[in-house]
């Protein structure tokens, strides 16, 4: 069976550079966006975006 | 790369690919390239699984369908990530079911834009749990009624963007095909209002509790499509080489963030300023909306300045990261 090469896989190739010493973490993750989103009754806080 | 996955779409020039101003043709190119990358990845997984025909055959079939031009929704992209992660980890549990689902999802044309509630989003609900882990709980169930209301407001926002910002509208609709309405966690002091995820290409999450006006929706759509644009430009290398465990102050969040997040935040802020200023300059807003748009733009510019100062001071940018950000900074600095 051929070994899977992460450097040939969408998304995983971004992390595979870690093996080359770049020490990257998972890059293919979530990005939260938008404006301030404070729920009712809670003082406005910076929304968790990006 | 295997011949199964077809020929990669030819990239446009760097000035178009990394350009700051929205471009529908670039959106279509990035969508095509993402599909090509998906096909190539499935083809590689099929080759690596050749000794297990029950695994290899559906993967090869999916790659062939994509190479033949099939366009698929975020379900197929997320399913690929799940299957690839399991194969890399040699974790066979549930794999036959995921392969069967992939076959269905690849065979299903993605169609036009749909707006669905979290909890009524079909395969996306379970895929979000699988691929986002604990973070999926931040996107709580919503109702069909709220999704329908959001859909109606989105129609107004899309109509405004099509009229006043046709290139941004074209870029947005080239990439986005699913909007999932999700609500914030009731027990959280933070409430998301929009989100996007690399592994769910073509999907945006919006919180229907926010964005009461077409202008607010246009702004959050600009924000999220700009994240997606960066995802599409991040194929072979990241935007920044800073380690993810190195944290820096973010202009948009109370907590410190990795440089990748700050880069994203700065860039999308600049694009939001572009959208708000161009809307304000168009004849399609009411006087009240124009004032609102300019206020939003000023805030977006301030957020860009704060984020860009951190990127400039500490960012270890890739070539693509530098090419994209320098064009954003140039637009911000230019007189308008």
């Amino acid at each position: 069976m051929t070994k899977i090469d992460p450097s040939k896989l969408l998304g995983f190739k971004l992390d595979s550079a870690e093996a080359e010493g770049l020490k990257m973490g998972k890059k293919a993750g979530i990005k939260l966006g938008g404006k301030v989103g404070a729920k009712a009754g809670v003082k406005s806080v910076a929304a968790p975006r990006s | 790369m295997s011949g199964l996955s077809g020929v990669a779409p030819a990239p446009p020039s760097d000035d178009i690919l990394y350009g700051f101003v929205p471009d529908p043709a670039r959106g279509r190119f990035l969508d095509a390239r993402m599909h090509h990358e998906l096909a190539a990845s499935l083809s590689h997984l099929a080759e690596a699984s050749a000794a297990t025909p029950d695994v290899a055959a559906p993967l090869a079939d999916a790659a062939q369908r994509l190479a033949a031009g099939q366009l698929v929704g975020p379900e197929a992209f997320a399913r690929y990530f799940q299957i690839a992660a399991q194969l890399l980890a040699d974790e066979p549990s549930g794999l036959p079911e995921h392969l069967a689902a992939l076959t269905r999802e690849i065979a299903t044309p993605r169609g036009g834009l749909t707006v669905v509630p979290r909890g009524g989003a079909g395969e996306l609900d379970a895929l979000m749990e699988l691929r986002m882990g604990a973070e999926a709980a931040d996107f709580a169930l919503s109702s069909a009624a709220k999704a329908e209301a959001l859909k109606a407001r989105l129609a107004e926002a899309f109509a405004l963007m099509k009229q006043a910002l046709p290139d941004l509208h074209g870029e947005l609709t080239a990439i986005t095909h699913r909007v999932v309405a999700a609500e914030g966690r009731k027990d959280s002091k933070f409430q998301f209002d929009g989100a996007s995820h690399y592994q769910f290409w073509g999907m945006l999450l919006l919180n229907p509790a926010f964005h009461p006006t077409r202008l607010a929706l246009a702004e959050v759509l600009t924000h999220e499509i700009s994240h997606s644009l960066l995802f599409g430009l991040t194929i072979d290398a990241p935007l920044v080489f800073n380690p993810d465990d190195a944290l820096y102050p973010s202009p948009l969040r109370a907590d410190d963030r990795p440089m990748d997040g700050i880069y994203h935040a700065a860039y999308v802020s600049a694009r939001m300023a572009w959208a708000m200023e161009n809307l304000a300059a168009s004849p399609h807003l009411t006087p009240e909306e124009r004032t609102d748009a300019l206020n939003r733009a000023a805030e977006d510019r301030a957020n860009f300045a704060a984020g860009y100062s951190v990127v400039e001071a500490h960012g270890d940018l890739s070539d693509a990261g530098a090419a994209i950000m320098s064009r954003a900074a140039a637009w911000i600095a230019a007189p308008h």
Side-chain angles (χ1 to χ4, degrees):
Chain A
M1 181 172 170
T2 308
K3 189 175 181 350
I4 298 173
D5 180 356
S7 73
K8 293 183 177 180
L9 296 179
L10 174 63
F12 296 92
K13 67 176 74 176
L14 296 174
D15 289 326
S16 69
E18 189 169 15
E20 298 167 11
L22 295 176
K23 297 182 179 177
M24 290 185 299
K26 290 184 178 179
K27 298 293 185 188
I30 199 162
K31 299 295 174 192
L32 296 168
K35 286 290 188 180
V36 168
K39 68 181 185 182
V42 177
K43 186 180 177 184
S44 293
V45 292
R49 56 190 216 176
S50 303
Chain B
M1 194 187 91
S2 164
L4 284 175
S5 51
V7 177
S13 70
D14 280 4
D15 274 339
I16 292 175
L17 188 61
Y18 301 133
F20 178 72
V21 173
D23 183 336
R26 180 199 22 208
R28 290 190 292 272
F29 164 76
L30 294 178
D31 186 56
R33 188 168 69 175
M34 273 295 196
H35 280 80
H36 173 78
E37 287 285 325
L38 177 61
S41 301
L42 291 169
S43 182
H44 176 66
L45 291 175
E47 289 173 0
S49 307
T52 313
D54 288 349
V55 174
L59 293 170
D61 180 65
Q64 281 180 324
R65 284 176 178 268
L66 289 164
Q70 178 78 309
L71 298 175
V72 296
E75 298 86 353
F77 280 91
R79 188 76 63 187
Y80 146 74
F81 276 100
Q82 179 64 25
I83 292 169
Q86 287 197 214
L87 290 173
L88 281 164
D90 196 21
E91 172 50 67
S93 175
L95 196 55
E97 290 77 11
H98 287 305
L99 289 165
L102 177 71
T103 298
R104 291 194 304 272
E105 288 154 0
I106 292 283
T108 305
R110 68 181 173 191
L113 181 77
T114 56
V115 182
V116 291
R118 177 92 163 102
E123 299 285 344
L124 287 174
D125 285 317
L127 286 164
M128 285 176 64
E129 304 290 336
L130 284 168
R131 301 310 310 151
M132 298 183 187
E135 285 183 291
D138 291 333
F139 308 107
L141 303 186
S142 190
S143 67
K146 288 181 180 175
E148 279 302 309
L150 177 64
K151 184 177 179 179
R153 298 208 307 278
L154 277 171
E156 293 179 15
F158 272 86
L160 174 63
M161 293 172 77
K162 186 173 184 178
Q163 199 172 30
L165 306 172
D167 287 343
L168 180 58
H169 176 269
E171 198 173 73
L172 173 66
T173 53
I175 293 173
T176 304
H177 293 85
R178 299 280 187 284
V179 173
V180 177
E183 301 184 25
R185 274 172 53 170
K186 304 296 183 226
D187 59 346
S188 173
K189 67 177 180 179
F190 292 116
Q191 298 284 291
F192 95 99
D193 68 358
S196 43
H197 196 293
Y198 190 104
Q199 298 178 24
F200 290 77
W201 178 253
M203 181 187 83
L204 302 181
L205 286 150
L206 293 179
N207 187 338
F210 300 107
H211 329 301
T213 66
R214 63 177 188 163
L215 193 66
L217 269 171
E219 190 181 41
V220 75
L221 287 169
T222 304
H223 184 124
E224 297 306 334
I225 192 57
S226 300
H227 280 311
S228 294
L229 189 73
L230 291 180
F231 292 153
L233 292 169
T234 309
I235 298 295
D236 294 318
L239 297 166
V240 303
F241 294 125
N242 300 66
D244 274 358
D245 57 2
L247 303 181
Y248 305 89
S250 168
L252 303 181
R253 290 178 56 148
D255 51 337
D256 288 352
R257 299 293 299 154
M259 184 56 66
D260 183 66
I262 294 169
Y263 181 109
H264 266 258
Y267 179 77
V268 303
S269 294
R271 293 255 300 183
M272 290 155 74
W274 180 94
M276 291 298 102
E277 289 178 13
N278 279 277
L279 276 174
S282 81
H284 304 293
L285 298 189
T286 65
E288 293 76 17
E289 286 178 320
R290 186 164 295 111
T291 300
D292 187 11
L294 290 174
N295 287 337
R296 290 170 182 271
E299 185 183 347
D300 295 332
R301 280 181 173 269
N303 285 334
F304 173 81
Y308 184 60
S309 68
V310 179
V311 173
E312 265 197 313
H314 305 291
D316 180 9
L317 274 54
S318 66
D319 288 346
I324 296 164
M325 188 58 82
S326 66
R327 287 166 171 81
W331 181 83
I332 287 284
H336 296 287

